[in-house]
């Protein structure tokens, strides 16, 4: 049933799909880089990374990035997925380990590659140092701070979720929705639109309420779609951290009924997303192109997540019948 809902939502999605022409070459580059970095990945793990297609995900979110920039973006995406796996797998990191990881990552992003922290070393650190080098060199200080703040928010969310799982406390719907906005890493992907397009926004525009409403709803849409795709896995080990499971518990309905409720919520959210995106005001001729690029990037994040989720080997979704 869930697979049929996923394909139906994709069919109903009004956002146009796009993908970079460099995506597949970048995926081959990525696998070679992971071997060179000596990450603790056996042949099976490398195969899973290959089938996941993180370069195709980055290529869907940043379809106009140059090939060299897409490599940077893909490396960053891969780093975040590896961290996500470390926080979610059965032998997952403990809350204190996640906190130490967070502190080490932020030391690197705020202070530079010479910063050292006992909670963050080894191949994962080398991957982030390599991926961060070009954005750090090229982007203005206000953008670097904004990106680091988004990473802090994301890793704080991973820590809060780990604490809840360790205590066995499942969240309610609205509590979960707010937490999911952090754990999804969508807010990390949004500043990267400016890196990919070369059009950084002033803070006052980036944080303008009209843009933030679009960004927040885009985050919800891609997160809820992912929750539908990962439902079966989450039923086994997520401790209720899935919108479908939270809806089923809070409304006292079956999981099958909750799938339908989440799909309805997604469709209503998508209709509102289209309206909010169209209602963003003009910021003047010097900024409107950058604002449009940002709004397009948020839309690519939503549609790209839909398409990548259905094609990626990371999720067991059968082809459309």
């Amino acid at each position: 049933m869930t697979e049929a809902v996923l394909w139906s939502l994709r069919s109903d999605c009004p956002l146009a799909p796009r993908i970079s022409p460099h995506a597949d070459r970048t995926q081959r580059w990525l696998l070679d880089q992971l071997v060179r970095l000596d990450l603790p990945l056996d042949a099976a793990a490398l195969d899973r990374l290959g089938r996941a297609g993180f370069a195709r995900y980055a290529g869907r979110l940043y379809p106009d990035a140059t090939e060299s920039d897409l490599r940077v973006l893909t490396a960053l995406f891969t780093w975040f997925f590896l961290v996500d796996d470390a926080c979610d797998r059965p032998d997952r990191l403990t809350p204190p380990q996640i906190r130490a990881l967070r502190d080490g990552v932020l030391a690197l992003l705020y202070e530079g590659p010479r910063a050292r922290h006992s909670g963050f070393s080894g191949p994962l650190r080398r991957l982030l140092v390599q991926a961060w080098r070009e954005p750090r060199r090229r982007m203005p200080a206000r953008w670097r701070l904004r990106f680091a703040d988004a990473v802090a928010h994301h890793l704080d969310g991973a820590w809060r979720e780990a604490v809840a799982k360790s205590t066995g406390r499942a969240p309610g719907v609205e509590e979960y929705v707010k937490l999911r906005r952090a754990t999804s890493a969508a807010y990390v992907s949004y500043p990267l639109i400016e890196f990919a397009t070369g059009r950084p926004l002033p803070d006052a525009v980036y944080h303008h309420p009209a843009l933030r409403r679009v960004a927040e709803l885009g985050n919800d849409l891609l997160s809820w779609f992912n929750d539908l795709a990962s439902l079966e896995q989450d039923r086994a080990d997520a401790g209720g951290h899935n919108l479908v499971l939270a809806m089923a518990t809070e409304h006292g309905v079956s999981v099958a009924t909750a799938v339908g409720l989440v799909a309805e919520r997604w469709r209503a959210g998508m209709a509102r997303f289209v309206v909010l995106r169209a209602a963003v005001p003009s910021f003047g001729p010097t900024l409107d192109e950058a604002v449009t690029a940002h709004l397009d990037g948020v839309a690519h994040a939503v549609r790209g997540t839909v398409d990548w989720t259905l094609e990626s080997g990371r999720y067991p979704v059968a082809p459309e019948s």
Side-chain angles (χ1 to χ4, degrees):
M1 175 186 174
T2 306
E3 290 179 351
V5 169
L6 291 169
W7 287 108
S8 176
L9 293 179
R10 192 188 78 156
S11 296
D12 294 341
C13 182
L15 308 176
R18 292 193 61 200
I19 189 168
S20 166
H22 312 303
D24 291 332
R25 280 196 305 275
T26 302
Q27 183 65 28
R28 293 190 291 271
W29 168 86
L30 171 66
L31 296 178
D32 180 63
Q33 287 297 112
L34 293 178
V35 171
R36 290 174 182 270
L37 285 166
D38 197 29
L39 286 161
L41 302 169
D42 57 20
L46 284 171
D47 179 65
R48 285 194 300 273
L49 284 174
R51 289 186 289 107
F54 295 140
R56 289 183 65 83
Y57 193 15
R60 290 187 180 281
L61 268 64
Y62 313 103
D64 296 315
T66 65
E67 185 166 0
S68 60
D69 284 353
L70 187 60
R71 289 182 175 186
V72 171
L73 295 160
T74 297
L76 285 169
F77 271 43
T78 302
W79 186 87
F80 280 101
F81 274 108
L82 289 172
V83 169
D84 181 64
D85 287 345
C87 294
D88 273 350
R89 65 194 181 200
D91 59 338
R92 53 183 167 251
L93 299 177
T94 64
Q97 289 173 321
I98 294 173
R99 177 62 70 183
L101 171 67
R102 171 200 181 275
D103 292 346
V105 169
L106 295 183
L108 189 157
L109 295 179
Y110 286 127
E111 302 170 26
R114 293 187 179 181
R116 294 291 173 183
H117 192 283
S118 59
F120 186 44
S121 59
L124 267 181
R125 188 181 191 280
R126 291 198 296 273
L127 176 59
L128 184 57
V129 167
Q130 175 180 298
W132 180 236
R133 186 176 297 126
E134 188 63 13
R136 184 173 184 270
R137 181 191 71 81
R138 212 161 78 200
M139 300 300 285
R142 69 173 187 276
W143 180 92
R144 298 196 301 271
L145 180 61
R146 187 190 302 157
F147 180 82
D149 287 347
V151 174
H153 179 246
H154 170 62
L155 294 177
D156 281 340
W159 176 80
R160 295 198 307 273
E161 184 176 84
V163 170
K165 287 179 179 179
S166 69
T167 60
R169 190 181 67 81
V173 171
E174 293 313 310
E175 178 189 1
Y176 174 75
V177 167
K178 290 178 182 178
L179 177 60
R180 190 70 172 94
R181 289 171 186 159
T183 61
S184 76
Y187 290 151
V188 176
S189 75
Y190 294 160
L192 294 172
I193 298 166
E194 299 164 86
F195 169 73
T197 62
R199 294 187 174 108
L201 291 169
D203 284 344
V205 176
Y206 186 87
H207 295 296
H208 187 278
L211 270 70
R212 297 311 297 166
R213 284 191 289 269
V214 173
E216 180 177 274
L217 187 50
N219 189 346
D220 289 342
L221 289 169
L222 65 87
S223 297
W224 302 345
F225 192 89
N226 179 267
D227 280 9
L228 287 165
S230 61
L231 174 60
E232 291 310 312
Q233 177 180 339
D234 289 346
R235 291 180 78 172
D237 58 19
H241 285 78
N242 180 294
L243 183 57
V244 175
L245 301 178
M247 294 276 277
T249 299
E250 188 164 304
H251 294 284
V253 298
S254 68
V255 170
T257 298
V259 167
L261 293 175
V262 171
E264 290 174 9
R265 187 171 181 142
W266 192 92
R267 287 190 171 94
M270 176 57 73
R272 185 164 171 262
F273 179 84
V274 171
V275 171
L276 288 176
R277 182 184 174 194
V280 172
S282 170
F283 290 86
T286 60
L287 289 173
D288 278 350
E289 283 191 9
V291 170
T292 296
H294 178 80
L295 295 172
D296 287 349
V298 175
H300 293 328
V302 177
R303 180 60 197 245
T305 298
V306 169
D307 290 330
W308 173 76
T309 298
L310 294 174
E311 74 177 8
S312 173
R314 189 173 174 84
Y315 304 98
V317 181
E320 187 174 19
S321 59

